[in-house]
Amino acid sequence: MTRESEILVGVDGSTAGLHALDWALTEARTRGVGLRLVVAYSLPSFTAASLDGGYAALDDETIRAGAQAVLDEALAHLRDPGVPVHGRVVTGDAAGVLVEESRHVELAVVGTRGRGGFADRLLGTVSSALPAHGWCPTVVVPLRGADGQPLAAGETAHVRPVRRIVVGVDGSPPAERALRAAIRESQAWGAELFAVTGVPIASMTGALAWLPSAVDHEQVLTDMAEGLDVVVDRALADYPGAVVQRRVLDGTGAELLTEFSAATDLVVVGSRGRGGFAGLLLGSTSQAVLHHARCPVMVVTTRGDDVTAD
């Protein structure tokens, strides 16, 4: 199976969905690839007990017409895109449709929890399901203002160019894959890249809870820094000229990456990291960061490793 040189965008007519579309367009221009817009809908039906057990269903043509209107609006929103764009309406659950579509593209983009728009279907569970189950990296774009805070009434969201990227690294396979994706992204944008490992020394929680109080905290940080260097240097061997700054900091991965997201243009994490040289950073971290980050978050999994670019 091969991938098309396209970015998949799930749209639902909400403000959050259109903002994610704007971000995806900027990314597509930077990469020199096309956009694939998808609106998914399913035919809702229910048993109406109050109607003597009768069965009621909405007309498929009416629902599909609404979905097509959403797609038409999204296509019209892209004025002079400068990249190939096409879209289609697909019948089915939004999360399932986008997961299947992600087999054929190099990146998927969705917004966070839309309000209003076409049935408010896409940007809730999809922003959690697609990163976890997608066959390509997924970027979740929060609907926030320039300061990273939720939009005030009447405020317009603007897409910031990616100038600084932070990637969480713990030595697990998903984290190493995330590091490589972050390196490629930094090269495409000409952005600074920071690889961060979190070690909860002060709280002594999680994997460090069993350590004796007399442990040399500085030595723990030194050991982790050496492990980080090994992982980063191994990745850099495939990307001559790339530069990755390294940081080993006191704190959990979720806390650190969420904090960095306030002054960063893109956070990159691997999904469900396990093992590695500590197994401290990823796992639930990816979900926590998705819910609290102030900037777009790219989630990278090891699914689809056997899928090649077209």
Side-chain angles (χ1 to χ4, degrees), residues 169-172 175-176 179-180 183 195 197 221-238 244 246-248 276-278:
V169 179
D170 73 346
S172 67
E176 290 202 44
L179 173 60
R180 292 173 181 272
I183 292 173
T197 291
L221 292 174
T222 298
D223 292 344
M224 296 298 292
E226 291 176 355
L228 179 60
D229 284 339
V230 169
V231 172
V232 172
D233 291 342
R234 183 164 59 222
L236 287 176
D238 295 328
V244 180
R246 303 101 188 268
R247 300 286 188 273
V248 177
F277 63 79

Side-chain angles (χ1 to χ4, degrees), residues 164-192:
R164 177 178 294 179
I165 301 171
V166 172
V167 56
V169 179
D170 73 346
S172 67
E176 290 202 44
R177 187 169 175 83
L179 173 60
R180 292 173 181 272
I183 292 173
R184 292 191 295 271
E185 199 73 10
S186 69
Q187 290 181 319
W189 283 95
E192 289 184 291

Side-chain angles (χ1 to χ4, degrees), residues 12-14 18 21 37 67-78 117:
D12 73 344
S14 68
L18 292 176
L21 178 58
L37 279 57
Q68 184 63 50
V70 167
L71 178 59
D72 293 342
E73 178 190 15
L75 291 170
H77 180 78
L78 298 173

Side-chain angles (χ1 to χ4, degrees), residues 60-70:
D60 177 70
E61 292 186 5
T62 301
I63 297 297
R64 187 174 184 84
Q68 184 63 50
V70 167

Side-chain angles (χ1 to χ4, degrees), residues 23 140-142 144-149 158-168 182 185-186 191-196 247 249 255-269 289 292-298:
W23 192 95
V140 178
V141 183
R144 295 181 180 272
D147 58 357
Q149 298 297 324
H158 297 284
V159 175
R160 298 188 307 190
V162 178
R163 296 289 179 257
R164 177 178 294 179
I165 301 171
V166 172
V167 56
E185 199 73 10
S186 69
E192 289 184 291
L193 176 58
F194 296 82
V196 175
R247 300 286 188 273
L249 301 171
E255 293 169 345
L256 292 171
L257 295 177
T258 299
E259 183 177 348
F260 275 120
S261 73
T264 300
D265 304 307
L266 181 67
V267 169
V268 183
V269 294
V289 175
H292 300 294
R294 297 185 179 184
C295 71
V297 178
M298 177 185 288

Side-chain angles (χ1 to χ4, degrees), residues 72-120:
D72 293 342
E73 178 190 15
L75 291 170
H77 180 78
L78 298 173
R79 301 182 182 88
D80 300 321
V83 297
V85 179
H86 68 95
R88 64 194 187 105
V89 173
V90 181
T91 304
D93 175 73
V97 165
L98 292 177
V99 167
E100 183 60 27
E101 290 279 339
S102 72
R103 291 177 179 269
H104 311 292
V105 297
E106 59 183 55
L107 182 71
V109 178
V110 292
T112 52
R113 297 192 180 280
R115 291 291 181 264
F118 175 60
D120 197 18

